[in-house]
Amino acid sequence: MQHKYSEPDSLIAIRNYCKTIPQYFQIKNDQELIDIAQSETSQSQLAKSLIINRYLPKVLKDSKRIFNGQNSDPWHRDDIIQTGIKAIIVAINSFNKEKTNHED
């Protein structure tokens, strides 16, 4: 196991893992990936990983703005990454396509 202060950090590890996912799967849109992720099939973990990879940079960018640069310590960065991943997974699991379509 890598030390917290060494590379690759969590974000790089996620990106590297997603690069191993077949291209035909990577080009799916978010809705397709959410449908697969909620299906609890053998591909649901791949779909969740791709969604996390797509949205985690936004989580980090927004956290930097919110904390005004206070989270520069790598320990805090990993905490934010972990919290961001949990939030994205909760969003995937609780996403309701029918409810979203009715609000248009």
Side-chain angles (χ1 to χ4, degrees), residues 35 45 53 56 59 67 76 83 85 91 101 104:
D35 290 342
Q45 203 58 35
N53 188 50
L56 197 54
V59 169
F67 292 109
H76 291 124
T83 302
I85 290 171
N101 289 337
D104 290 341

Side-chain angles (χ1 to χ4, degrees), residues 17-29 32-33 43 46 50 53-54:
Y17 172 72
C18 287
K19 288 178 185 177
T20 67
I21 296 172
Q23 183 64 28
Y24 73 89
F25 207 81
Q26 292 184 33
I27 61 173
K28 294 187 180 295
N29 66 38
E32 292 171 319
L33 290 174
Q43 295 182 330
L46 294 175
L50 286 172
N53 188 50
R54 287 181 186 175

Side-chain angles (χ1 to χ4, degrees), residues 12-74:
I12 293 172
I14 292 167
R15 285 183 184 153
N16 287 339
Y17 172 72
C18 287
K19 288 178 185 177
T20 67
I21 296 172
Q23 183 64 28
Y24 73 89
F25 207 81
Q26 292 184 33
I27 61 173
K28 294 187 180 295
N29 66 38
D30 289 348
Q31 184 60 57
E32 292 171 319
L33 290 174
I34 289 171
D35 290 342
I36 295 167
Q38 289 179 341
S39 70
E40 296 299 324
T41 63
S42 61
Q43 295 182 330
S44 64
Q45 203 58 35
L46 294 175
K48 287 178 184 178
S49 296
L50 286 172
I51 294 169
I52 290 166
N53 188 50
R54 287 181 186 175
Y55 287 94
L56 197 54
K58 179 175 176 25
V59 169
L60 293 174
K61 181 180 176 186
D62 289 349
S63 71
K64 192 173 200 176
R65 182 181 47 82
I66 291 167
F67 292 109
N68 197 21
Q70 296 174 17
N71 59 346
S72 59
D73 180 351

